[in-house]
Amino acid sequence: MTPATTAGILGDFYEPADAVTAAARVRAAGWTQFDFLTPFPIHGMDEAMGQKRSWIPWASAALAVGGILFAQGLQNYVMVWDWPLNFGGKPFFSWPAFIPITFEAMVFWSALGTAFIAIVAGKKDSVPQPPPMTATGATVDRFVLWIAATDPKWDAAEAARFVASLGADHVRLVDAEGGTHA
Amino acid sequence: MTKSEMSPYATVMDDSQLTGSPIVLAGAGPYGGDLAIAEPLVTGGKRWAEVDRDICLHTEQFPTRKWWLAFSVALAFLSLLVLALVTLFYTGMGIAGVNQPVSWGSFIINFVFWIGIGHAGTLISAVLYLFRQQWRTGINRAAEAMTLFAVACAGIFPVIHLGRAWFAYWLVPYPNARGPLWVNFNSPLAWDIFAISTYGLVSLAFWYLGLLPDLATVRDRATHPWRRSLYNAMCFGWNGSHRAWRHYESAYMVLAGLATPLVFSVHTIVSFDFATSVMPGWHTTIFPPYFVIGAIFSGFAMVITLMTFMRGYFGLKNYVTLNHMEDMAKILMLTGMLVGFAYSTEFFMAWYSGSEWEGFVFKNRAFGPYWWAYAIMFTCNAIIPQLFWFKALRRNTWVLFVVSILVNVGMWFERYVIVVTSLHRDYLPSSWGMYALTFWDYAILFGSFGLFFTLFLLFVRFLPVVAISEVKGVMDPKVARAPQGDRPLVVPALQEVRS
């Protein structure tokens, strides 16, 4: 019996190579709302799943520019405009002295922003996931295929047949209310 | 097929079977010749599920008596630090050894020392990552934690050195009611504030990003609902989604790319504190590379010290193997030679520059009243690591441990030599003087080790000390995979569709 609130389906693979092959077949079969839950990132999985290169580096670059502008703005505002001090007749706009802080601010903005954005992007730029804390074994040693029930092709029985046909072990439907909670 | 038929790695059980040379498989090459493959990074024929158990177990049990003993000692030294700082702030800087002419004393020495210790962690996590050095996976988590705690120790020293520590917030440039009175951005001391705080926070972000998947592993092993919820919140609900891994890996690469120049910039800026002054012995262009390489050298020594303990006490000898230790020994020897080269270059330049002051300072360094400090420094840093030309010594953990301690001592004395010998005899012989650490200097120095080890012991108590997900990624799937159909860890599903 299929519950009315099925969130999707899970199926286990045991080796990264099998998971990559399966991912390519899932994609070729026309599923779009699917994901692989894995203990570590797998080479070739992005291509197999049809994912483009991450856009994170663009965000990092934008943040780096922000950090540079912030540091240059602060130092020039303070040293040239708001509180100019005469050190042995040296120019107020002593730009070489501003380089270290500009560099540090660039790294600071870019690195902290990148870490934050990557964590948020991992959640938002994704497909519907299994209910929180579903024990899939994917943090241990399983490479778990997940097809969300929101997929346009979704049909529980068809999905189960398909996932089993990929050679997945332990194929099971997941209840949206958290039926697989520990 | 047995595991050993599937992979030659399945038969390598412990250090005794590692040679540090490739495994040669006769006739396994593409045209029937021999095939040389690297020795496994993880020994013991481990499965992925066993990695979780081996590395998470110590966070799930009541700590051992050894841990409590070590923690008590660390806490005792931390108490000493607190006592010394309270006394120092209450009484005043007069109880420390600094005075004219040596107005930069043990606090600056300790500051540079601890910042230097931190650099190896970033080098292992970022630089070795960019160079695809997969052996880093066994040691990077602990080394990065070491970085964070070393930076925490380093951070207190400039504040003490201010003299009036309660005005430390004046160093932060923000619009204030004191004028506004801004910091002087032309000063390397102001650069330091930015460099150290950026370094500490970026290292923290990098370390925590690496921790996310492992916190999820700890969560999934947890039996108590509170523990599950706590670790779930700490890993932001990580579930191993490959759509999340895609961004995660990209961000990790970006952070490695940013941390690499950062680690070089931080000690460069620390060296600017000295190099931009007009003191003979400090005012040299060699200082930035000299400081950076010395920092990496001392940091690797500390990693070896910590790893020697950790692989024994936490049963990590399968993950931090003798090959890892040998690799670190090689880096230690290389950086030791670079440090020795820098010492020699300084002497050459003192002579070649023709500067009378510079020449005097270096003669005074090696043969003046502080000759013993210079001798300790040169012996420990430039001569003793030469032992590692011999493979048998690189693979002897006792030798490694003793050398790593000596290098730490030597590197502390390097900073002592730089700070004290340049200041104690400057241009005016009438203002020459000597410098000695007082009881309170020693209390703060040894107390800072108490702070470091307290933080480190808490880290090993509560968090996975090896990067589980990264280690899993460098293991041979043929050996490490779960047996078909075995599902000890999978919680009962709603509905079994097949089998």
Side-chain angles (χ1 to χ4, degrees), chain B residues 319-331:
Chain B
Y319 303 97
V320 184
T321 65
L322 213 48
N323 284 357
H324 291 82
M325 304 303 280
E326 186 184 358
D327 285 338
M328 289 192 278
K330 286 174 183 169
I331 294 186

Side-chain angles (χ1 to χ4, degrees), chain B residues 65-257:
Chain B
R65 197 173 288 179
K66 277 176 194 159
W67 186 89
W68 282 112
L69 185 68
F71 193 63
S72 312
V73 174
L75 270 185
F77 276 97
L78 177 59
S79 314
L80 180 68
L81 177 69
V82 173
L83 174 76
L85 289 181
V86 169
T87 314
L88 183 78
F89 293 149
Y90 189 78
T91 318
M93 286 294 270
I95 64 169
V98 286
N99 208 329
Q100 297 300 340
V102 182
S103 50
W104 284 17
S106 71
F107 302 146
I108 298 296
I109 297 167
N110 297 341
F111 163 67
V112 181
F113 173 77
W114 277 117
I115 281 287
I117 294 289
H119 277 44
T122 318
L123 188 95
I124 289 166
S125 58
V127 181
L128 296 186
Y129 178 77
L130 295 180
F131 281 109
R132 300 285 189 270
Q133 293 297 304
Q134 294 191 329
W135 61 272
R136 71 181 264 290
T137 55
I139 54 171
N140 75 332
R141 171 70 40 74
E144 284 177 59
M146 177 195 79
T147 293
L148 291 174
F149 307 143
V151 172
C153 290
I156 59 175
F157 285 106
V159 175
I160 309 171
H161 187 76
L162 292 173
R164 289 187 290 172
W166 46 96
F167 289 133
Y169 67 95
W170 284 18
L171 292 162
V172 182
Y174 66 99
N176 54 61
R178 305 188 294 273
L181 184 62
W182 296 101
V183 300
N184 175 11
F185 286 116
N186 291 345
S187 162
L189 301 175
W191 306 344
D192 250 0
I193 303 297
F194 284 81
I196 303 303
S197 52
T198 300
Y199 185 51
L201 288 167
V202 170
S203 299
L204 181 66
F206 198 30
W207 179 72
Y208 201 81
L209 199 63
L211 257 176
L212 286 184
D214 294 357
L215 291 172
T217 303
V218 175
R219 172 201 65 197
D220 288 348
R221 288 174 55 84
T223 48
H224 196 287
W226 288 5
R227 186 173 163 91
R228 278 177 74 79
S229 302
L230 176 68
Y231 279 95
N232 187 52
M234 281 166 72
C235 73
F236 306 110
W238 182 268
N239 69 354
S241 153
H242 214 277
R243 289 177 194 272
W245 275 121
R246 177 175 73 123
H247 294 307
Y248 174 93
E249 278 216 287
S250 185
Y252 202 81
M253 178 70 87
V254 167
L255 255 68

Side-chain angles (χ1 to χ4, degrees), chain A residues 5-6 12 32 55 60 63-64 80 90 114 129 141 149 153 160-161 164-165 173:
Chain A
T5 54
T6 301
D12 292 359
T32 50
W55 44 263
S60 312
L63 285 160
V80 181
K90 290 176 188 164
T114 301
Q129 293 288 320
D141 54 4
K153 266 171 69 88
R161 249 193 315 278
S165 77
L173 292 166

Side-chain angles (χ1 to χ4, degrees), chain A residues 62-174:
Chain A
L63 285 160
V65 172
I68 292 170
L69 293 176
F70 166 78
Q72 281 294 323
L74 174 69
Q75 293 179 93
N76 281 295
Y77 168 75
V78 168
M79 300 298 288
V80 181
W81 193 76
D82 192 53
W83 197 272
L85 291 168
N86 189 335
F87 297 107
K90 290 176 188 164
F92 298 134
F93 176 60
S94 46
W95 65 268
F98 299 164
I99 289 174
I101 289 179
T102 306
F103 174 80
E104 300 299 331
M106 178 193 81
V107 170
F108 183 85
W109 279 48
S110 188
L112 269 71
T114 301
F116 179 76
I117 288 171
I119 290 168
V120 175
K123 299 275 168 215
K124 300 294 175 195
D125 184 16
S126 188
V127 298
Q129 293 288 320
M133 292 211 262
T134 303
T136 57
T139 55
V140 187
D141 54 4
R142 299 309 148 93
F143 303 83
V144 186
L145 172 63
W146 160 253
I147 300 179
T150 52
D151 193 287
K153 266 171 69 88
W154 178 259
D155 171 79
E158 170 56 27
R161 249 193 315 278
F162 174 70
V163 174
S165 77
L166 296 170
D169 190 14
H170 192 212
V171 180
R172 67 272 192 203
L173 292 166
V174 178

